[in-house]
Amino acid sequence: MGNERRRAYLHLATCPADEQPQLHALLTGHGFREAPATSMPTQLRDDSLYTCDEFPVGTDETVDTGEFAHTIMVSALMECAPGASWRFWSGIGYADGTQVMGELNLHHPSLGLFPKPEPALDCDDDGRVWLSMATVEDLLQRSAAGEAVDLAAITGGQWEVLISQEAQAQTTPRLQI
């Protein structure tokens, strides 16, 4: 695994001004661009989507550590922009001819990284969480046994709400006539 590619996305809700140069350099170095533009702007913008068409599936052979490319990118995002709020996901891809789910991580400075301790949630190409049939069956069994099952806690709902609120706060209201 590692020689096949898929698309990756970063929805940047907010990023402190002093962290933007490092984050810009990281994204540019990995081939990201602002969607739907064909290039990277000179400055990052809050509440923007950045995409990379050629993101490695599996291990990243360019760094030769044996770590998964998605995990390496999440660590780099955390290191260069710990005060930023974001959703990072890599879409569905193929490794050695087998389809692999996308991977999703969420970050908010007041909550930290999600999920923990797992490296990422499975997701589809749009970054929507995907639960396996085994997981759903386990949740149903736990619920039937009287255990409280909190899907928001399992899927990062608290992170999603805070990230969404921050992104919306960055959006300029449109004048209605």
Side-chain angles (χ1 to χ4, degrees):
M1 275 185 7
N3 58 352
E4 299 180 48
R5 305 282 185 212
R6 59 180 161 183
R7 183 171 273 174
Y9 307 84
L10 175 72
H11 173 229
L12 181 63
T14 60
C15 183
D18 62 327
E19 295 176 0
Q20 286 192 14
Q22 302 93 296
L23 182 56
H24 187 276
L26 174 70
L27 295 175
T28 302
H30 280 83
F32 279 79
R33 60 182 168 74
E34 187 174 23
T38 57
S39 62
M40 191 66 157
T42 56
Q43 286 190 311
L44 298 177
R45 290 185 268 273
D46 288 341
D47 192 24
S48 293
L49 181 65
Y50 299 93
T51 64
C52 173
D53 292 332
E54 295 290 319
F55 195 77
V57 173
T59 56
D60 187 347
E61 295 170 352
T62 62
V63 293
D64 197 30
T65 62
E67 286 188 83
F68 287 101
H70 184 94
T71 304
I72 292 169
M73 186 66 174
V74 167
S75 295
L77 288 166
M78 296 284 299
E79 184 177 318
C80 75
S85 296
W86 47 260
R87 300 176 85 248
F88 174 69
W89 72 98
S90 44
I92 294 171
Y94 292 86
D96 299 324
T98 302
Q99 185 177 21
V100 293
M101 292 304 300
E103 299 170 284
L104 169 70
N105 284 96
L106 309 167
H107 180 264
H108 188 275
S110 67
L111 299 174
L113 182 65
F114 185 85
K116 292 185 260 185
E118 299 300 320
L121 294 169
D122 286 340
C123 70
D124 66 10
D125 280 332
D126 295 320
R128 291 182 299 242
V129 174
W130 183 87
L131 300 175
S132 70
M133 184 55 87
T135 299
V136 171
E137 288 172 350
D138 176 60
L139 294 172
L140 289 171
Q141 287 175 357
R142 289 169 41 195
S143 178
E147 183 179 337
V149 176
D150 184 356
L151 272 179
I154 295 166
T155 61
Q158 187 177 7
W159 278 258
E160 291 282 12
V161 168
L162 287 176
I163 292 167
S164 177
Q165 287 173 345
E166 285 194 358
Q168 289 175 358
Q170 302 305 316
T171 305
T172 305
R174 291 194 171 97
L175 183 62
Q176 293 187 359
I177 299 176

